[in-house]
Amino acid sequence: MAQTTTDVERHDGHTPAPAGSGAHGAEHGSEAMLTNTKLGMWMFLSSDCLFFGAFISAYLLYRGRSEEGPVPEDVYNIPFTSVTSFILLMSSLTMVLALAAIQRGDYRRLRVWLLATALFGATFIGGQIFEFTEFYREGLALDTNLFGSTFFVLTGLHGAHVTGGIIWLLSLWGLAAQGRLTSADSEKVEVAGLYWHFVDVVWIVIFTVVYLVPQ
Amino acid sequence: MADTETTGTTETTEAETTETTAPTEAEASETEVAESATTATEPGTELATRDDDAAVAGGEHAAVPLLPGGLRPHPEPLQYVLIALVLVVVTGLEVWTSYLDQVLVDGAIIALLLVFAVVKFFLVASWYMHLRTDSKIFRRFFVLGATGAITLYLVVLLTLHVFGD
């Protein structure tokens, strides 16, 4: 807590960033302090770990206990899911490049990277919809068996998170396109980025545990 | 973009020659100790002492100044790209490992996959989410949530003999 107090005091005192930190660093210097928005987002992400942990655990709990209907080996298309996972991973790169752009005051690149991130996210969701459709055609639905229930709920909730992130990113892109998102607002992009990176790290776990680990 | 980065570099160089009181990254691990020491000494004196220590320590990190609160600046875009390349390679290894069921036993495959996932998780969290440079309070919150979730659900799954079947 001592660190927290120190940070807040310095933030309130408007202590300037040390000389030599550069434009990027100086901007970060005014934004990296303990703010309610960032702290709130980190608290939300911390609680979301428990949220996703519950559904991943439910999947593991019922794995291999389906008595009828398709099982993972029947429906999984690992090469396809690997490609969509790769796309989501790359969206984290474009997201962090968007943050670096707004911190430098490079608004053209900010708009490009925000839109690229949203498009990568939309591609991931498109892949997920295609995957769900294929699974349904092969006879796996939400109520087919334990595998179907736990798989669709877990990956569907993750997809809902990604969809929410896409809407958030497009809102930021709209603000940036109207010139209403400046370097002074870089924390808005940073907080959105935290959320986006979180859904990426959750997918890193889901991809490994649900798709790649031998059944 | 190039102009901006060039300007930033110039500022850094000028600061190194004119500012003798700027804290450096060399004592990043000592930040918390230094924070408490600062309360008992005059700020100017403390900073000068820390700078002297850094000058003695030398090393490649000595030229990178800390931000207020003992924080380090965000990485440069090139570093983000390099991290992405590492993530791509690790993901490729991960997918390749999942096809080694004719070569490795399931236990070895699972162990390797978990190691790869943990590496990717930490790379994204520490570099892209800036946990390695931002305030420690954020790191503590996230570590608390993640380890709490892992511990809680591991206990549940072990209690229900999920890994024993």
Side-chain angles (χ1 to χ4, degrees):
Chain A
M1 289 308 287
Q3 179 72 28
T4 310
T5 306
T6 305
D7 286 347
V8 172
E9 285 171 354
R10 290 185 177 192
H11 186 51
D12 291 343
H14 300 291
T15 303
S21 57
H24 183 53
E27 181 60 34
H28 174 60
S30 65
E31 298 296 334
M33 298 297 96
L34 194 58
T35 63
N36 289 338
T37 314
K38 270 178 79 172
L39 186 61
M41 176 51 73
W42 276 112
M43 291 174 75
F44 167 72
L45 297 182
S46 184
S47 66
D48 229 18
C49 288
L50 287 157
F51 177 82
F52 278 108
F55 292 102
I56 292 171
S57 299
Y59 177 86
L60 290 174
L61 181 59
Y62 293 120
R63 191 179 61 161
R65 299 189 184 191
S66 299
E67 295 181 350
E68 57 183 24
V71 292
E73 293 86 346
D74 301 328
V75 293
Y76 280 173
N77 183 347
I78 298 299
F80 178 79
T81 311
S82 300
V83 171
T84 57
S85 301
F86 171 78
I87 289 169
L88 190 65
L89 204 56
M90 288 304 98
S91 74
S92 266
L93 171 63
T94 55
M95 182 70 238
V96 83
L97 289 176
L99 175 63
I102 192 173
Q103 287 177 335
R104 286 195 313 270
D106 186 346
Y107 302 122
R108 189 182 67 82
R109 281 193 170 82
L110 166 68
R111 292 192 297 272
V112 169
W113 293 129
L114 279 179
L115 192 59
T117 308
L119 287 176
F120 279 149
T123 306
F124 174 82
I125 290 298
Q128 197 169 42
I129 291 170
F130 173 78
E131 184 182 51
F132 282 13
T133 308
E134 286 296 302
F135 286 8
Y136 187 76
R137 284 179 182 160
E138 294 181 38
L140 184 71
L142 187 65
D143 57 353
T144 303
N145 54 21
L146 288 170
F147 164 59
S149 299
T150 53
F151 172 83
F152 281 122
V153 170
L154 171 60
T155 56
L157 283 171
H158 178 268
H161 274 68
V162 175
T163 305
I166 292 168
I167 295 169
W168 193 349
L169 290 171
L170 290 176
S171 304
L172 289 175
W173 179 81
L175 289 174
Q178 295 169 25
R180 293 164 58 192
L181 201 62
T182 65
S183 290
D185 304 312
S186 68
E187 191 184 55
K188 290 178 181 173
V189 177
E190 185 168 11
V191 171
L194 288 176
Y195 175 84
W196 191 260
H197 298 311
F198 179 74
V199 296
D200 187 22
V201 294
V202 168
W203 186 255
I204 286 172
V205 176
I206 292 175
F207 180 58
T208 300
V209 173
V210 173
Y211 288 88
L212 296 183
V213 164
Q215 302 298 316
Chain B
M1 171 180 169
D3 290 342
T4 308
E5 288 178 352
T6 304
T7 305
T9 307
T10 306
E11 287 174 5
T12 304
T13 309
E14 287 172 1
E16 286 166 7
T17 54
T18 59
E19 295 286 338
T20 57
T21 58
T24 67
E25 189 177 358
E27 75 279 11
S29 61
E30 304 168 18
T31 301
E32 285 190 311
V33 176
E35 289 287 348
S36 59
T38 306
T39 60
T41 58
E42 189 180 308
T45 307
E46 171 61 22
L47 289 173
T49 305
R50 292 165 72 182
D51 189 59
D52 291 345
D53 293 344
V56 172
E60 60 183 70
H61 299 297
V64 181
L66 290 180
L67 298 169
L71 306 177
R72 287 178 286 180
H74 284 174
E76 292 298 320
L78 180 62
Q79 290 175 291
Y80 291 137
V81 174
L82 290 175
I83 292 297
L85 288 176
V86 174
L87 288 170
V88 169
V89 170
V90 174
T91 303
L93 288 172
E94 201 176 17
V95 176
W96 177 66
T97 302
S98 72
Y99 284 100
L100 294 179
D101 53 342
Q102 303 295 321
V103 182
L104 298 173
V105 295
D106 282 355
I109 292 175
I110 292 171
L112 281 171
L113 289 173
L114 291 179
V115 167
F116 289 139
V118 167
V119 168
K120 287 165 65 181
F121 187 100
F122 274 98
L123 282 175
V124 174
S126 60
W127 285 85
Y128 287 176
M129 298 172 89
H130 305 118
L131 279 183
R132 62 188 289 277
T133 54
D134 264 357
S135 174
K136 286 187 175 67
I137 191 78
F138 300 139
R139 196 182 318 161
R140 287 173 186 152
F141 262 115
F142 193 56
V143 168
L144 179 70
T147 55
I150 291 169
T151 305
L152 172 65
Y153 296 119
L154 208 53
V155 168
V156 171
L157 293 176
L158 287 172
T159 304
L160 296 172
H161 306 289
V162 168
F163 304 115
D165 295 339

